[in-house]
């Protein structure tokens, strides 16, 4: 993928991100509502767009951003995929990142 294609995708992703984020903000569901899973799906789409942006951003892949993106995706996906413990994987990523930060200080 050349630089121009990468930039076109990133530009499109920001437009999509803005639309998804507005849909999340407008969604009235609270955690106990029947429509809450729909709001969670929108949040999952938001996180997927952040992952796309992290992956295509020019330069070195920022592992802390990648971990944050994956943590969000895994945490949200845990509610949709029964009989898995994706939240535990997300926690493992989070704690590994925290340990790395603590070691570097």
């Amino acid at each position: 993928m050349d630089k121009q294609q990468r930039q076109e995708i990133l530009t499109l992703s920001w437009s999509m991100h803005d639309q998804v984020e507005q849909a999340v903000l407008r969604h009235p569901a609270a955690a106990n509502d029947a429509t809450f899973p729909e709001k969670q799906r929108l949040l999952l789409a938001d996180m997927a767009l952040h992952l796309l942006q992290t992956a295509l951003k020019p330069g070195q892949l920022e592992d802390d951003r990648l971990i944050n993106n994956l943590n969000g995706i895994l945490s949200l996906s845990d509610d949709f995929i029964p009989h898995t413990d994706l939240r535990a994987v997300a926690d493992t990523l989070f704690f590994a990142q925290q340990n790395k930060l603590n070691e570097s200080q």
Side-chain angles (χ1 to χ4, degrees):
M1 174 179 298
D2 67 29
K3 232 170 151 175
Q4 182 180 351
Q5 290 170 315
R6 183 181 297 246
Q7 188 55 52
E8 287 171 4
I9 292 170
L10 284 169
T11 300
L12 258 173
S13 76
W14 280 110
S15 173
M16 290 186 294
H17 175 265
D18 291 344
Q19 291 177 43
V20 170
E21 192 172 75
Q22 288 304 309
V24 170
L25 293 172
R26 284 190 311 268
H27 202 291
N32 299 339
D33 296 340
T35 59
F36 189 67
E38 181 61 30
K39 187 173 189 174
Q40 292 295 89
R41 288 178 63 172
L42 292 170
L43 286 169
L44 185 59
D46 179 64
M47 293 309 309
L49 288 164
H50 281 288
L51 177 60
L52 171 75
Q53 292 160 350
T54 296
L56 291 182
K57 184 180 175 188
Q60 189 82 350
L61 183 63
E62 297 177 36
D63 62 343
D64 59 329
R65 290 182 65 125
L66 178 59
I67 289 170
N68 286 336
N69 297 151
L70 292 173
N71 185 290
I73 289 169
L74 289 167
S75 295
L76 288 165
S77 296
D78 188 60
D79 294 334
F80 294 104
I81 304 175
H83 312 299
T84 63
D85 197 358
L86 296 176
R87 196 170 306 275
V89 177
D91 289 344
T92 300
L93 280 171
F94 177 77
F95 290 123
Q97 181 184 32
Q98 293 303 310
N99 288 339
K100 179 183 163 192
L101 289 173
N102 291 337
E103 289 172 2
S104 67
Q105 292 178 349

